[in-house]
Amino acid sequence: MRGTFITFEGGEGAGKSTQIRTLAETLRDVGHDVLVTREPGGSPGAEAVRHVLLSGAAEPFGPEMEALLFAAARSDHVEQVIRPAVETGRIVLCDRFMDSSRVYQGVTGNIDPDFMKSLEKVSVNGMIPDLTIILDLDPVEGLRRATARRGDDAADRYEKEALDVHERRREAFLEIARNEPERCVVFNAERDKAVVADEIAAAALAAIGRRETRKAEAGAA
Ligand code: TMP
């Protein structure tokens, strides 16, 4: 009865939240049972850690310890929310997941790759996404959109970083997609939202279809 696990990734202001909302509606309209969640957070324990991370309160601990906190939050979220939902056949749409840690902590936090791999293994614990949607956008435009959306609220710990850091993250997401083409699909998020949404829906329905085929084959065997 396994459902489908779909994650959304990308830099700041790429429009993930809007696209997730639209995809959730599209999938519900055709009868799917959809759960929308996010990281850091998504479970009560992980939401408590979210505040510590995004306020910058954990920054003085250094990048490795921040990575540990993201991993702790992810582990709780996976075991309390994502796995139970996927195991009962639901479709889970998650705003950011393991690729954000690979990029923000691993690449731009300059953390030892072996340490990051171990953390990922423990926190994800086999719950690899069936599909990862990467929204790709020039960081200048992304930060402009993020600033406009935020209004008078202060930038979070990650939005505040220099443009070259955001550019390295963009490149790092694209590299993940090149290395794992069976899991990741990149969408140019500079285009009209509705066009991007249609393409995302097609990719998501294809991934759900692949899952259902595998389920049917397993049932027939
Ligand atoms: P968002 O709600 O705007 O996506 O903000 C979450 C921030 O947290 C974003 O700047 C990326 C950052 N983040 C990490 O650095 N590592 C992670 O593993 C996750 C999930 C998010």
Side-chain angles (χ1 to χ4, degrees), residues 6 37 64 90 101 111 134 151 168 171 185 191 202 210:
I6 301 176
T37 187
E64 280 85 1
R90 302 185 76 187
S101 282
I111 297 181
I134 297 178
R168 283 171 60 210
E171 197 34 57
V185 186
R191 297 167 305 153
R210 283 195 296 276

Side-chain angles (χ1 to χ4, degrees), residues 147-175:
T147 308
R149 183 187 61 200
R150 199 171 62 234
D152 291 335
D153 292 346
D156 75 25
R157 174 203 174 327
Y158 295 97
E159 282 170 0
K160 272 193 284 206
E161 287 170 316
L163 188 59
D164 70 303
V165 175
H166 293 284
E167 271 159 3
R168 283 171 60 210
R169 287 182 185 143
R170 178 189 197 185
E171 197 34 57
F173 277 121
L174 294 176
E175 196 182 331

Side-chain angles (χ1 to χ4, degrees), residues 38-192:
R38 68 163 179 190
E39 290 209 348
S43 61
E47 286 291 329
V49 180
R50 176 183 176 92
H51 177 70
V52 174
L53 284 162
L54 298 192
S55 67
E59 201 175 351
F61 300 163
E64 280 85 1
M65 297 304 118
E66 282 184 299
L68 274 179
L69 287 172
F70 276 110
R74 177 158 306 128
S75 170
D76 192 62
H77 185 213
V78 164
E79 303 310 338
Q80 302 300 321
V81 175
I82 298 174
R83 194 187 311 280
V86 172
E87 280 180 355
T88 50
R90 302 185 76 187
I91 295 172
V92 175
L93 307 182
C94 188
D95 189 341
R96 296 196 183 280
F97 193 61
M98 62 185 198
D99 299 301
S100 283
S101 282
R102 289 187 188 177
V103 168
Y104 283 73
Q105 281 65 56
V107 175
T108 54
N110 290 316
I111 297 181
D112 172 39
D114 288 338
F115 177 72
M116 285 309 296
K117 274 202 190 107
S118 309
L119 273 188
E120 179 177 299
K121 194 158 181 258
V122 177
S123 58
V124 170
N125 194 17
M127 203 67 228
I128 305 284
D130 298 296
L131 171 68
T132 295
I133 288 164
I134 297 178
L135 294 180
D136 179 55
L137 184 63
D138 181 342
V140 173
E141 173 60 11
L143 291 171
R144 192 193 62 72
R145 289 188 194 174
T147 308
R149 183 187 61 200
R150 199 171 62 234
D152 291 335
D153 292 346
D156 75 25
R157 174 203 174 327
Y158 295 97
E159 282 170 0
K160 272 193 284 206
E161 287 170 316
L163 188 59
D164 70 303
V165 175
H166 293 284
E167 271 159 3
R168 283 171 60 210
R169 287 182 185 143
R170 178 189 197 185
E171 197 34 57
F173 277 121
L174 294 176
E175 196 182 331
I176 291 173
R178 281 194 294 273
N179 291 336
E180 294 181 56
E182 57 307 315
R183 172 172 71 87
C184 303
V185 186
V186 178
F187 297 88
N188 171 357
E190 227 136 316
R191 297 167 305 153
D192 180 60

Side-chain angles (χ1 to χ4, degrees), residues 196-210:
V196 179
D198 285 347
E199 291 179 6
I200 289 176
L205 287 165
I208 294 165
R210 283 195 296 276

